[in-house]
Amino acid sequence: MSTLLAALILSSLSYAAAQADDGTSPTFSLSNGVSGGTMTVLQGQVSNPIDLTVTSSNGFVVTPGGNPSTILPVTYTCTGLPLAAQCNFSPSLTTSATTVSLTISTQGPTVAQHRRESQGAILYAALLPGFFGILIIAGSRTRSARAWRVVGLTMAVAFCLLGLSSCAGSNGNPSSGTPRGSSGIVVNATTGGMNPISASTGFTLTVN
């Protein structure tokens, strides 16, 4: 606990000292390592990682012990993401590290799977009455009223199963996943507190 407290005090003193130098708050810039300005990812896959880098020339980045860090923790968010896509940050969403790794995960289509499940259930229910009917007819020598009642009951049960299977096949929320195409992504980095400091960087995301 004492080590954490000392680090917080040191960051606060550094922040105050930087403000006292010229009367302004420290600022920072955010850059990204997207080659050519476009990140490409296959639908349903996760993109290759890229680096987000914080730089500053007026005191926001310090190097205690030779390891650069920000004097205040920075929180990262994404805007402009297509449907069913998500930004993932490492080492964490909020960190004092000056370099953060970013990946974007996308979702593949699920509608085809739902259709297969529904078709399988319908096929099973459709074959069920014929199967039972064959057993009953083959096992009886006369078409008595009792035999026909059994056949009718079997067919009624089969139709009920058909209805239940159809309902089960339509449950859930089938989705086409993350749409293919290009989107403008903006990554925002901001500090907390009463006077937050922020910066942003952008690139194009192409989903194939």
Side-chain angles (χ1 to χ4, degrees):
M1 180 63 70
S2 60
T3 303
L4 177 60
L5 180 59
L8 291 174
I9 292 175
L10 179 60
S11 294
S12 298
L13 292 175
S14 299
Y15 184 75
Q19 284 183 305
D21 286 341
D22 57 5
T24 61
S25 298
T27 58
F28 67 93
S29 300
L30 183 67
S31 61
N32 68 74
V34 179
S35 178
T38 300
M39 173 190 286
T40 302
V41 61
L42 293 177
Q43 186 186 48
Q45 302 296 317
V46 180
S47 71
N48 291 327
I50 62 156
D51 285 339
L52 304 171
T53 304
V54 172
T55 56
S56 176
S57 59
N58 61 355
F60 187 77
V61 174
V62 293
T63 55
N67 297 317
S69 63
T70 60
I71 59 176
L72 294 175
V74 177
T75 299
Y76 295 87
T77 57
C78 284
T79 59
L81 288 168
L83 180 69
Q86 180 178 345
C87 280
N88 310 290
F89 300 98
S90 178
S92 61
L93 187 70
T94 301
T95 179
S96 292
T98 57
T99 300
V100 175
S101 179
L102 166 68
T103 59
I104 296 181
S105 55
T106 61
Q107 180 178 308
T110 59
V111 63
Q113 178 181 355
H114 281 259
R115 284 177 178 172
R116 286 196 298 268
E117 292 173 354
S118 178
Q119 289 170 355
I122 292 175
L123 180 61
Y124 171 81
L127 293 176
L128 187 63
F131 175 76
F132 278 104
I134 292 173
L135 290 180
I136 292 173
I137 294 174
S140 95
R141 296 182 178 179
T142 60
R143 296 182 179 179
S144 63
R146 181 179 179 182
W148 282 113
R149 284 197 298 270
V150 173
V151 172
L153 178 61
T154 301
M155 293 183 65
V157 171
F159 279 116
C160 290
L161 290 175
L162 176 62
L164 291 174
S165 298
S166 298
C167 291
S170 62
N171 283 338
N173 297 303
S175 169
S176 58
T178 304
R180 291 183 171 89
S182 297
S183 304
I185 307 300
V186 176
V187 181
N188 302 293
T190 183
T191 64
M194 297 181 60
N195 299 300
I197 310 169
S198 62
S200 62
T201 184
F203 56 89
T204 299
L205 173 70
T206 300
V207 181
N208 291 327

